[in-house]
């Protein structure tokens, strides 16, 4: 008799467990159904125009860079006395797509399957833009190279040696073309 009572208790516990498992599966299915309905409803109210107003530029990549840049500028009006500045520059560059040219193709968009087709009518062949940000404190002058001032005697000496060479070259060229 004890075995029959124990067997009946076990069967009763099994039935209760099966009922609870069935209830949990049904509730899960109902919740999933309502979540899917809500998502589809939101998708049908999606507006590309409103999204573009909120996000006019879609940044898809940010690059951090460190570079040395050489910059030469004339010192006064004498172009032979240029100086050269060497800068270490660090900053960032944002690569973006301008969203104002984005429109939705309503004939191919399928709201039920959550497929959105967009058309990008860019006036340029490359629709990517770049914003470069270099903070003022990240532009450091590493070195300034100033020209060496030469005396008039040194300038005359260089000019004399250059004139001797160019005189010989000029006479050779003149002789070759004159003979023809």
């Amino acid at each position: 008799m004890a075995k029959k009572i124990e067997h009946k208790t076990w069967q009763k516990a099994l039935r209760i467990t099966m009922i609870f498992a069935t209830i949990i599966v049904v509730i899960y299915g109902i919740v999933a159904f309502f979540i899917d309905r809500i998502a589809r409803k939101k998708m049908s109210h999606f507006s590309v125009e409103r999204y573009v107003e909120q996000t006019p530029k879609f940044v898809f990549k940010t690059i951090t860079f460190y570079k040395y840049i050489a910059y030469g500028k004339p010192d006064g009006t004498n172009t032979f006395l240029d100086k050269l500045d060497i800068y270490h520059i660090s900053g960032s560059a944002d690569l973006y797509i301008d969203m104002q040219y984005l429109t939705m193709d309503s004939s191919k968009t399928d709201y039920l399957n959550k497929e959105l087709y967009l058309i990008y009518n860019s006036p340029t062949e490359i629709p990517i833009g770049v914003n470069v940000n270099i903070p003022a404190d990240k532009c450091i002058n590493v070195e300034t190279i100033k020209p060496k001032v030469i005396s008039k005697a040194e300038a005359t000496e260089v000019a004399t040696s250059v004139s001797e060479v160019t005189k010989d070259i000029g006479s050779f060229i003149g002789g070759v073309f004159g003979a023809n």
Side-chain angles (χ1 to χ4, degrees):
M1 197 75 155
K3 283 189 172 184
K4 282 190 172 185
I5 295 174
E6 189 178 295
H7 183 66
K8 285 184 179 181
T9 308
W10 181 78
Q11 283 182 340
K12 188 175 182 182
L14 184 62
R15 281 189 206 130
I16 292 172
T17 306
M18 292 298 287
I19 291 172
F20 279 126
T22 305
I23 290 172
I24 289 174
V25 169
V26 169
I27 290 174
Y28 178 78
I30 292 171
V31 169
F33 174 76
F34 281 116
I35 289 174
D36 185 59
R37 295 291 291 172
I38 291 169
R40 288 176 192 257
K41 195 175 219 181
K42 281 184 177 180
M43 184 67 180
S44 66
H45 294 295
F46 179 75
S47 171
V48 173
E49 291 78 19
R50 191 170 51 223
Y51 180 75
V52 169
E53 286 176 15
Q54 295 171 356
T55 313
K57 292 182 180 178
F58 175 67
V59 175
F60 63 91
K61 179 83 173 175
T62 299
I63 301 169
T64 304
F65 60 88
Y66 305 93
K67 298 288 179 199
Y68 284 100
I69 295 182
Y71 174 71
K73 62 179 183 175
D75 185 18
T77 57
N78 191 347
T79 58
F80 295 104
L81 296 177
D82 289 347
K83 75 175 185 174
L84 182 68
D85 292 320
I86 299 174
Y87 294 99
H88 180 262
I89 295 177
S90 61
S92 64
D94 292 332
L95 301 176
Y96 67 89
I97 295 175
D98 194 358
M99 301 292 280
Q100 69 179 342
Y101 302 111
L102 190 67
T103 57
M104 184 174 67
D105 186 358
S106 58
S107 64
K108 292 184 179 180
T109 298
D110 185 7
Y111 294 114
L112 296 177
N113 293 324
K114 300 178 185 176
E115 293 177 354
L116 180 67
Y117 283 88
L118 301 173
I119 300 171
Y120 193 78
N121 295 319
S122 174
T124 60
E125 288 187 30
I126 302 174
I128 299 170
V130 179
N131 281 340
V132 178
N133 180 23
I134 302 173
D137 61 335
K138 299 293 184 178
C139 184
I140 301 167
N141 188 346
V142 177
E143 187 174 354
T144 299
I145 302 171
K146 292 186 179 178
K148 178 183 169 190
V149 180
I150 59 173
S151 65
K152 188 172 184 177
E154 290 173 327
T156 306
E157 182 181 328
V158 170
T160 305
S161 62
V162 169
S163 67
E164 290 295 323
V165 172
T166 56
K167 174 184 75 165
D168 293 338
I169 292 172
S171 62
F172 174 75
I173 291 173
V176 169
F177 284 118
N180 291 335

